[in-house]
Amino acid sequence: MTDLKLAQSFSLMALNAQSSLHMTTVKKVALRSMAAAVILEVYLDGGFAQTENKLVLKNDVLDSSRPILYREAILKPLLRKNDQVEGELKWWLTRASKLSNKKLKKFEHAISDSLMEEGLLEVIPSLLGSDMYFDSSGVEIKEYRSNIEAYTRTTENIRAEILEEGLVTDEIICMLWLLRECGCMHDFFSRNELEKVNSRMNEFYQSSLLAKSLFPIQIRHGLELGIKQFLRMKKKFAMTYVGSSINFFFPMLERSQAVFIETESWFTNSTQRLNEVIKRLVSYGHEVTVLEKGSISTIKIDNVVYEAAPHFVMMRVPIQGVRLVPRRPI
């Protein structure tokens, strides 16, 4: 496995548990942020020539004997024929994030293929497809699953870099901005940790030229609502403007939904019931780890942690099973 570039590392996080077939609203948010990650990747790799505040793409970025296809999928649509394209970093990021759904879909295929070639991404049956109502309807749902080891290593490294004191690399600054813009801070940080994240963002903004240029840029909608909510809640959570809305905008939570998985047999023992459900999930291709057993157990399915609670659904006869609810950092 080769070292991943910025856009690949971020995509490993952003595509996990996303629908592989449909352009959902949540996946569109992820793809727009992933497109921006390509611009930042090229920027960090020295692919832009800079004159004052204007950035011009260097000719050799696309004129390569070994082209990077996912870069081409973003950069080529931004280049006007017979016209030199230049603009500030914000201009490039905004244009990349506003590409059409058709171009974003082409980009999705290019970058997912690059990750699959490395063995870091695969398509599996969606956990939602195991839900009793979906399962009985015969509807097949597919989703991306990032390699568990690589996903954990990537996310934990970012968490450690951001939450611990000290200097960070430009790549981590870009990652922090991308997490804010795609709205998935809550996937990786608890509410208490978000205060530390906000403080660190302010530190970086004061000490890093890249952060000073990047953090004020916003490529998503709904920020005004987030700021209004922030102003109403400012007594609860003190925020700097570079970190504003990290505690309010989180569409990525829609990726993982509560599901009910019924058991084929009636069990009086909650452990037996949980084991039966785990056996079914494994048979569907999911990787399951029990983190904590109890009346409500904690289990990790693929890259998401769930609380597994005994549950009944009243039909003509009671149906026994387990309700899986995503557990977020507290």
Side-chain angles (χ1 to χ4, degrees), residues 11-20 24 26-27 121-122 124-128 141-146 151 187 252-257 286 301-304 306 328:
S11 297
L12 194 71
M13 300 163 63
L15 284 178
N16 184 67
Q18 298 279 9
S19 169
S20 61
T24 64
V26 176
K27 190 168 80 172
L121 190 71
E122 60 184 321
I124 63 169
S126 170
L127 181 63
L128 186 60
I141 308 174
K142 298 288 187 179
E143 69 181 22
Y144 292 114
R145 177 174 66 193
S146 298
Y151 181 90
D187 279 354
M252 290 306 186
L253 299 192
E254 297 175 25
R255 285 187 295 184
S256 304
Q257 306 175 47
H286 297 285
I301 305 173
D302 302 320
N303 289 304
V304 181
Y306 292 85
R328 301 295 165 185

Side-chain angles (χ1 to χ4, degrees), residues 243-255:
S244 64
S245 84
I246 62 174
N247 201 32
F248 307 107
F249 184 79
F250 36 94
M252 290 306 186
L253 299 192
E254 297 175 25
R255 285 187 295 184

Side-chain angles (χ1 to χ4, degrees), residues 9 23 29 60 62 73 109 171 184 211 216 222 234 259 266 301 330:
S9 293
M23 181 65 81
V29 172
D60 61 353
L62 293 177
H109 289 155
E171 183 168 312
C184 53
K234 62 183 179 181
V259 299
W266 189 271
I301 305 173
I330 299 173

Side-chain angles (χ1 to χ4, degrees), residues 5 52 62 97 110 114 144 158 161 175 181 183-184 187-188 204 216 220-221 227 243 256-257 261 265 267 287 317 322:
K5 293 184 176 293
E52 296 181 348
L62 293 177
S97 69
S114 76
Y144 292 114
I158 292 171
E161 291 283 342
M175 278 288 192
E181 292 305 296
C184 53
D187 279 354
F188 308 109
F204 302 150
R220 51 186 165 74
H221 301 289
I227 292 176
S256 304
Q257 306 175 47
I261 302 177
S265 303
F267 297 103
E287 296 191 29
V317 294
V322 171

Side-chain angles (χ1 to χ4, degrees), residues 67-245:
I68 301 176
L69 298 182
Y70 67 80
R71 283 188 179 182
E72 290 188 349
I74 295 300
L75 294 173
K76 282 189 173 180
L78 301 183
L79 303 178
R80 303 189 189 100
K81 291 182 178 179
N82 302 319
D83 188 17
Q84 186 179 37
V85 179
E86 63 179 24
E88 297 179 348
L89 181 60
K90 179 179 180 180
W91 184 88
W92 284 95
L93 292 171
T94 302
R95 281 175 58 85
S97 69
K98 289 183 177 180
L99 289 174
S100 67
N101 287 353
K102 182 178 180 180
K103 290 182 173 62
L104 287 175
K105 192 68 179 177
K106 182 178 180 181
F107 166 60
E108 176 192 344
H109 289 155
I111 198 158
S112 62
D113 285 349
S114 76
L115 291 171
M116 288 178 182
E117 288 173 5
E118 296 284 345
L120 297 175
L121 190 71
E122 60 184 321
V123 175
I124 63 169
S126 170
L127 181 63
L128 186 60
S130 303
D131 183 88
M132 181 182 71
Y133 297 102
F134 280 92
D135 192 35
S136 61
S137 69
V139 176
E140 187 178 37
I141 308 174
K142 298 288 187 179
E143 69 181 22
Y144 292 114
R145 177 174 66 193
S146 298
N147 175 274
I148 293 175
E149 181 181 350
Y151 181 90
T152 301
R153 184 171 60 250
T154 300
T155 55
E156 288 303 312
N157 176 64
I158 292 171
R159 278 177 46 81
E161 291 283 342
I162 293 172
L163 294 176
E164 295 176 5
E165 298 298 330
L167 299 176
V168 297
T169 63
D170 284 346
E171 183 168 312
I172 291 296
I173 287 175
C174 290
M175 278 288 192
L176 184 53
W177 180 81
L178 289 165
L179 289 174
R180 187 192 73 180
E181 292 305 296
C182 76
C184 53
M185 286 287 193
H186 281 71
D187 279 354
F188 308 109
F189 300 100
S190 69
R191 292 192 186 97
N192 290 334
E193 287 173 339
L194 286 177
E195 295 189 33
K196 176 67 174 179
V197 172
N198 174 67
S199 175
R200 291 285 278 164
M201 287 186 75
N202 188 52
E203 289 177 23
F204 302 150
Y205 181 76
Q206 300 296 330
S207 61
S208 165
L209 290 176
L210 176 60
K212 193 173 287 291
S213 299
L214 185 59
F215 285 174
I217 299 173
Q218 295 144 8
I219 60 171
R220 51 186 165 74
H221 301 289
L223 179 66
E224 293 79 8
L225 177 60
I227 292 176
K228 288 180 182 178
Q229 290 174 320
F230 158 61
L231 291 174
R232 293 190 187 116
M233 301 171 65
K234 62 183 179 181
K235 291 183 180 178
K236 283 188 173 182
F237 193 69
M239 305 277 288
T240 61
Y241 87 95
V242 295
S244 64
S245 84

